[in-house]
Structures are given as structure tokens and as C-alpha cells.
Amino acid sequence: MNASRHIARTHRAARTTTKPLGYRCLSGDIAVAVDAGTLIRTGDLLERLGADLPDGQCSWYGRHAAKAYRAAHLGTNPLRVWAQHRTTGRYIHVNVFEPTDPALYTALRTYKATKHLVAGDFARCA
């Protein structure tokens, strides 16, 4: 098949698909790993920890986590996935991490809105 015809068919199919399916395809295997629980979004971690932060503060926590990840991995950026925003419903690009990634917990300690979630006294006892 001619390459230009193949590209045209791909574009035509992309225009006719639903928005969730289109973003799901863009994310590919990363979205599957998030659904399976092998990767976690920063907002999901904060939700599991019971942090009742507004969206703007969750976003800043994600930035702190990405900065900690880059510092630990020689400047490489964390994986990203297209996800639907919790309140607006728009699709946004968010960072995802392994649930045990030290960058997540470094960000909890370094970001002032989440410092209260780190149990320093309990960690010293253990």
C-alpha cells in the first residue's frame, strides 16, 4: 500500500474515533500499566494517602515528584500518560511512577502542603 494512502486512512480513522479512545491509544501500554496498578499517578497516591488537596496543589506535588525523579535518574523524565482531569474532565498529560518509587516519597517530604503526610516519628521507630 502507498505510504500516503496509509497515513490518510490513519488520519481519517483518528478523526472519527471517540476522544477517550483516541487518548487511550496515544498512551498505549502506559495506560494499561496504570490500570493494572504497576504504575501510579501522583493524584492517585495523594488520594490513597487521604490528602484532601485542591487540584492546584496536587499539580505542584506532581512537579516536585518529577523533579525528584529527574535528580535520581540522571535527568530522565518520568513516564507520562494522557488522563482525564478529576474535576474538569479535560484530558491532560500527567506523570506516572512505580508505586514504590522513592521520588514520590521525597516529594512528600519536600513539598510543604504534603509534609504532614510523612510519618517521621513512625519511620524512626521502625
Side-chain angles (χ1 to χ4, degrees), residues 23-24 27 31 34 41 44 80-86 88-96:
Y23 280 110
R24 179 74 176 190
S27 296
V34 170
R41 297 180 298 183
D44 293 338
R80 298 185 83 177
V81 67
W82 284 100
Q84 201 165 14
H85 193 273
R86 296 174 194 282
T88 64
R90 294 181 58 200
Y91 281 87
I92 56 174
H93 227 175
V94 295
N95 295 320
V96 291

Side-chain angles (χ1 to χ4, degrees), residues 48-112:
R48 287 180 189 177
L49 294 175
D52 191 23
L53 298 176
D55 287 331
Q57 288 182 341
C58 289
S59 174
W60 276 104
Y61 167 72
R63 291 179 186 139
H64 276 258
K67 182 179 178 182
Y69 184 88
R70 282 190 295 272
H73 294 92
L74 302 173
T76 1
N77 288 321
L79 292 173
R80 298 185 83 177
V81 67
W82 284 100
Q84 201 165 14
H85 193 273
R86 296 174 194 282
T87 56
T88 64
R90 294 181 58 200
Y91 281 87
I92 56 174
H93 227 175
V94 295
N95 295 320
V96 291
F97 303 88
E98 291 181 10
T100 58
D101 196 324
L104 292 172
Y105 305 102
T106 300
L108 283 175
R109 281 193 318 275
T110 60
Y111 182 47
K112 64 182 177 184

Side-chain angles (χ1 to χ4, degrees), residues 3 6-7 10-11 15 21 25 29-30 35-36 42-43 45 58 71 76 81 84-87 91 98 117 120 125-126:
H6 178 70
I7 292 170
T10 303
H11 284 229
R15 283 191 300 272
L21 178 61
C25 291
D29 291 339
I30 299 170
D35 290 345
T42 54
L45 176 70
C58 289
T76 1
V81 67
Q84 201 165 14
H85 193 273
R86 296 174 194 282
T87 56
Y91 281 87
E98 291 181 10
L117 298 172
C125 294

